């Protein structure tokens, strides 16, 4: 069961930090001679999304509660609009977010998400 991403936070990811990579569904075995043998390992992969959003000082508290409590430290999936498709999809934190000060009361939150199949 997923939870919604907080509506009070930035609802679009930052374009300059956006990176989307397809999950690997194959198993590759090297042969003694000739090309590698490749076969499907899964039918659906977990894609990875790396991105960031901007927060002000007050929004940081909302984000911290969302990450630590609402998603149980990144365990519980959340819904967010996929930047590529525009559809609401389920994501989960693949690693803890990182916070970088941009100056004043503005922060950039770097995140790595798994897009759940």
């Amino acid at each position: 069961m997923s939870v919604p991403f907080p509506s009070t936070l930035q609802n679009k990811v930052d374009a300059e930090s956006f990176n989307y990579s397809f999950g690997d569904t194959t198993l590759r075995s090297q042969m003694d001679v000739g090309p590698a043998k490749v076969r499907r390992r899964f039918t659906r992969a977990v894609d990875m999304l790396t991105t960031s959003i901007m927060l002000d000082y007050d929004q940081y508290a909302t984000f911290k509660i969302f990450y630590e409590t609402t998603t149980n430290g990144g365990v519980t999936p959340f819904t967010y609009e996929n930047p590529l498709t525009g559809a609401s999809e389920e994501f989960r934190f693949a690693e803890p977010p990182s916070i970088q000060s941009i100056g004043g009361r503005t922060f950039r939150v770097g995140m790595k998400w798994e897009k759940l199949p």
Side-chain angles (χ1 to χ4, degrees), residues 56-70:
D56 64 24
Y57 188 76
D58 298 325
Q59 290 173 320
Y60 167 74
T62 302
F63 181 80
K64 185 175 181 184
I65 291 169
F66 173 70
Y67 176 73
E68 291 180 350
T69 306
T70 308

Side-chain angles (χ1 to χ4, degrees), residues 43-111:
T43 55
R44 298 183 80 183
V46 176
D47 297 341
M48 300 301 290
L49 186 147
T50 304
T51 193
S52 66
I53 60 172
M54 306 293 271
L55 301 178
D56 64 24
Y57 188 76
D58 298 325
Q59 290 173 320
Y60 167 74
T62 302
F63 181 80
K64 185 175 181 184
I65 291 169
F66 173 70
Y67 176 73
E68 291 180 350
T69 306
T70 308
T71 68
N72 195 24
V75 173
T76 304
F78 58 92
T79 54
Y80 194 85
E81 185 179 300
N82 186 321
L84 294 173
T85 65
S88 181
E89 296 182 343
E90 282 192 330
F91 294 91
R92 181 173 53 199
F93 286 96
E95 59 187 45
S98 62
I99 311 292
Q100 176 185 15
S101 176
I102 301 178
R105 296 170 52 100
T106 306
F107 303 92
R108 175 176 288 123
V109 179
M111 297 170 286

